[in-house]
Structure formats: C-alpha cells, structure tokens
Amino acid sequence: MNWENLGQQLINGLSLGSIYALIALGYTMVYGVLRFINFAHGDVFMVGAFAGLYFFKWLSPLLVGVPPILSALIILVGAMAACAALGILIEKLAYKPLRSRPRLIVLITAIGVSLFLEYTAQLVFGAAPRGFPNLVENRTFGGNGVPAVTAEQLIVLGVTLALLVGLRFIVMKTRMGLAMRALSLNPTAAALMGVNNSVVISFTFGLGSALAGAAGIFYALLYSAIDPFMGVLPGIKAFVAAVLGGIGNIPGAALGGILLGVIETLCVGYSKNIGIPPGYRDAVAFVILILILLVKPSGLLGKAEREKV
C-alpha cells in the first residue's frame, strides 16, 4: 500500500468531513429538541450554495476594491442568514402546526418539504448545473513531498473550526443554549420553568440552517458546480454522520461528519488496495450506517435511551 499520499488524503477527507459535520449538526440539533429527522435539511444546504452564487452576482459591483477574503466572508454570512431565515420559515409553516401530531406525520411532511424545495429550485434556477465563482484566489500551499492544501481547503477547515467553537459557546455559555438543553431533556419542565419553547425551537432551526448554508458555500468552493439536487446525497450522508456520532449529540455529529469524510476519502484513495472500486464511494456511508446500527445503535458518543410504553 502506498502511504506517501496519506497526508494528502487526510487533508481531503477533513475538508469533505467538515461539510458533512456542519450539515449533521443541523440534523442532530433538531432531533435533540423535537425528536424527529428533518429530511429537508439537505435542501437548505442546496439553497445556501445558490444564495452564495446570487449574493456574489449582486454584491460584486459594490465590493470592488474589497479584499477577496473579506468579500468571501460577507457572501458567506449573507448565505448563512438567508438559510437561517428559510429554516425558521419552514419550521413556522410546515412543522409548528404538527407539533402535537405523531412523529410519522411530521416525518412525511419533512419529505414533502424536501421535494418542494428541490423542484421549486429547479423551476427557479433551472435543472442544469451552474458554475460557482472562485471567491478567493486559487492558490496551493505545500507540494514537493509535502501534502498540498488549497486556499479553499484552508478556508473550509478554518471557518468550520471557528463555527464549531462558536456553536459550543452558544450551546454551553448562553441563556438560549441553556434553554435548548433544557428543552431537549424535558419540554414540559422547561416550559414550566419559563422557557418559551416556540422561540427556542425556531432559534434551533435557524442556527442549524445557517450551518447548512455555510456547508453549501464550502461544497460549492471545493467542487465548483451546484444544482437543485446537490443536497440529496450530502444530506443523506450527513444524516449517517449524525447517527454515527450519536443522533442528538452535538460533538458526536461533528465527530461523525469528520470520520465519514476521512473514511470515504481513504476508500477512494486506496480503492485498489482494499478492493473497493472508486465508484462505490457513496455506498461506504450506508455500510457504515448498517454497521453502527447493528453494533452500537446509540452512536459513538450517544447514550442508549429506553422508550417508555
């Protein structure tokens, strides 16, 4: 086995895993407070990429002379804000009226919202893939025996780390984070203690959707093409990442996303050595899902819970 490019594969895997981790956090936060899987979350990721594309077109004349890294940051924040607003809107219109209904109904509604977003995007943006602009100068660092890392990968890794630190601060050090944790433990008790559950749920949807919007921008930066159905497969893989780390566990979702990205990249990079064709890269996530459900259904960092009947 050729280990010379292991460092390169790890960098590529961490970049891809960062995207999965950001999407997985939205899945796990919504599950934490409402106990259902928001399958429309992958499509919010797609909207984030398109929001970035259109923010770039609209703001480019106004950002002449602004350093590219600052322009990219403005576009990123704009896309995150647009996705946060979309996530809150989805929760208000589609999920809030169904809070007292069985979870299966909410789950089916989530699938309906997902399809609505995909085909509305196809109607608005067209079915053909669209190119995504280079928000930063195309540079590569390293090489000549040292793992090469592009400017886009550095931005993805650095900003993802900053977002994870910011998310931990919000969840662990703020009153809203305290309310989120209280709601996830016992919604009734949280309401009796003065927590406005509706506000906390909307904030959770907005926060998770903002992270998905950032993931959409990062994905577009790394792969340079976006389309209305680009959120389907990454969304499913991010769900697998959330299950791998422990659904409902925020550090677990981040860990699961990173692990899934690294494993998938290593499987492609060393496909000849392990006998798995590169075209089967997407199957890796589902094999991991089956294995984790068989061996440790609560995930790597999750805790087993007993359902009262």
Side-chain angles (χ1 to χ4, degrees), residues 38-234:
N38 177 22
F39 279 114
H41 193 61
D43 299 295
V44 176
F45 158 83
M46 173 270 294
V47 172
F50 276 98
L53 174 64
Y54 280 89
F55 275 124
F56 175 81
K57 289 183 177 180
W58 296 333
L59 297 180
S60 288
L62 304 175
L63 297 176
V64 176
V66 176
I69 189 68
L70 183 57
S71 300
L73 184 61
I74 293 172
I75 292 170
L76 173 67
V77 172
M80 291 177 68
C83 288
L86 176 63
I88 294 172
L89 186 66
I90 290 173
E91 191 275 329
K92 293 290 185 187
L93 297 180
Y95 301 140
K96 186 177 181 180
L98 302 175
R99 281 183 196 168
S100 59
R101 302 296 181 88
R103 292 174 193 169
L104 180 60
I105 294 178
V106 186
L107 186 67
I108 294 171
T109 303
I111 296 173
V113 173
S114 172
L115 294 173
F116 175 78
L117 290 176
E118 289 168 8
Y119 286 96
T120 301
Q122 188 181 39
L123 182 66
V124 175
F125 305 126
R130 307 274 293 272
F132 196 82
N134 291 326
L135 300 182
V136 294
E137 185 180 356
N138 191 10
R139 297 183 59 185
T140 301
F141 305 91
N144 297 323
V146 178
V149 55
T150 65
E152 289 86 353
Q153 287 176 320
L154 283 177
I155 290 174
V156 170
L157 294 173
V159 177
T160 298
L161 181 61
L163 290 174
L164 293 178
V165 172
L167 177 64
R168 179 170 176 78
F169 176 81
I170 291 173
V171 173
M172 302 304 295
K173 300 294 183 181
T174 66
R175 291 177 63 85
M176 184 59 77
L178 179 63
M180 290 169 63
R181 286 182 283 141
L183 182 59
S184 67
L185 290 174
N186 191 321
T188 304
L192 291 173
M193 294 301 293
V195 174
N196 188 329
N197 288 359
S198 293
V199 172
V200 176
I201 290 170
S202 294
F203 179 82
T204 304
F205 267 87
L207 185 58
S209 298
L211 295 176
I217 295 287
F218 295 158
Y219 186 92
L221 276 177
L222 294 180
Y223 299 101
S224 302
I226 59 177
D227 66 82
F229 295 93
M230 62 178 280
V232 175
L233 203 51

Side-chain angles (χ1 to χ4, degrees), residues 246-305:
I247 190 78
N249 186 300
I250 291 178
L255 176 64
I258 297 295
L259 284 178
L260 184 61
V262 170
I263 292 171
E264 183 179 316
T265 304
L266 290 178
C267 285
V268 175
Y270 295 102
S271 59
K272 292 182 179 178
N273 304 91
I274 59 180
I276 300 177
Y280 284 69
R281 61 180 299 171
D282 295 331
V284 172
F286 302 105
V287 172
I288 292 175
L289 176 63
I290 294 171
L291 290 178
I292 197 69
L293 290 176
L294 289 174
V295 177
K296 198 173 187 304
S298 59
L300 297 177
L301 300 184
K303 295 179 181 178
E305 295 181 3

